[in-house]
Amino acid sequence: MKSTKRKYYAYFVPGEGAAVRQGVTSEWKVCESIVSGVTGARYKSFEDRARAEQWLAGGAMYESRPSIVRRRATLDPGIYFDAGTGRGEGVEVSVTDERGNDLLHRAVPVGALNRFGKHRIDDEAATNNYGELLALRFALEIAMETGIAKIFGDSKLVIDYWSRRKIKRKEVAAETVALADEVAALRARFEEGGGTVTRISGDDNPADLGFHR
């Protein structure tokens, strides 16, 4: 039988003084029950408890990336995309270069970006998968505008299926299907021009918002 690696979930719920609640658990349901629906709550999964505790000790900041030097040295130049829900304020979209520098200002009005340089989707019904799809659309638009030939993301669903028009149209929201068709058309043009869209691990994605389970 294939063994399953244990994961540790670090959580942080803001408050004043003793009202701050934070900790590490190996049970996702425990973490979920603590952060779900709480504005400003943050969480992140780790394969090692010490790293989870280190993240909390560093302020539980998603943008804090101790491994950024390694990424700068090893990642291919290109555009990287991601989406997440961890701030408790809806789905956010992130698009960066290989160094983690935000690129969304090239595709989204500055007024539609938050203080982190990300775009929050103004629709409570939006799903994380919809966010990933929208992020790929922005990445494609930026790539074709700038002449960048490589795009990377960690969503298997979006990269291998939805952006190739492989989508269950009767089971998915009409708005998502329409966006998938739009993205598929953009991707086809991008790839016809020699561009590539490649899937990578979320751990290596500089656009990663840190909101994955």
Side-chain angles (χ1 to χ4, degrees):
M1 179 178 291
K2 189 176 181 179
S3 61
T4 301
K5 285 187 177 181
R6 170 173 289 189
K7 280 192 174 184
Y8 296 90
Y9 304 93
Y11 57 85
F12 176 89
V13 179
E16 294 293 332
V20 172
R21 186 178 183 187
Q22 64 180 24
V24 178
T25 176
S26 61
E27 299 293 331
W28 162 245
K29 289 185 177 180
V30 172
C31 177
E32 183 181 36
S33 68
I34 293 171
V35 303
S36 182
V38 181
T39 299
R42 304 192 287 274
Y43 64 91
K44 191 172 182 180
S45 66
F46 299 85
E47 294 184 357
D48 180 88
R49 174 178 280 274
R51 289 183 62 194
E53 294 173 345
Q54 183 180 26
W55 182 69
L56 289 174
M61 299 300 293
Y62 289 128
E63 286 68 34
S64 180
R65 296 181 179 278
S67 60
I68 194 69
V69 173
R70 175 184 66 80
R71 286 175 174 162
R72 286 178 177 172
T74 61
L75 289 179
D76 287 340
I79 297 177
Y80 294 74
F81 70 92
D82 187 41
T85 58
R87 274 187 251 275
E89 300 175 350
V91 177
E92 283 185 37
V93 169
S94 171
V95 180
T96 75
D97 64 14
E98 68 279 5
R99 295 181 176 84
N101 298 315
D102 291 307
L103 299 176
L104 273 175
H105 62 279
R106 292 181 174 274
V108 178
V110 175
L113 301 178
N114 62 23
R115 63 192 180 94
F116 302 104
K118 314 303 180 185
H119 172 62
R120 185 177 71 83
I121 300 174
D122 191 20
D123 183 352
E124 293 183 358
T127 64
N128 189 72
N129 288 330
Y130 179 89
E132 293 273 5
L133 188 61
L134 182 61
L136 176 53
R137 191 192 82 179
F138 291 145
L140 286 163
E141 291 174 348
I142 295 169
M144 289 189 284
E145 175 191 346
T146 59
I148 294 174
K150 294 182 178 181
I151 293 176
F152 304 88
D154 54 55
S155 172
K156 179 179 177 64
L157 178 66
V158 168
I159 293 176
D160 293 350
Y161 296 95
W162 284 4
S163 64
R164 295 181 182 276
R165 287 198 172 89
K166 298 177 181 178
I167 186 169
K168 297 179 179 179
R169 295 174 178 272
K170 294 183 179 180
E171 298 178 19
V172 178
E175 183 179 6
T176 301
V177 172
L179 179 60
D181 286 340
E182 180 183 349
V183 172
L186 284 172
R187 179 174 180 175
R189 285 170 48 202
F190 177 63
E191 292 179 332
E192 285 172 3
T196 60
V197 180
T198 305
R199 188 159 58 89
I200 60 172
S201 167
D203 293 335
D204 296 325
N205 189 352
D208 178 47
L209 287 162
F211 306 157
H212 301 291
R213 280 178 49 176

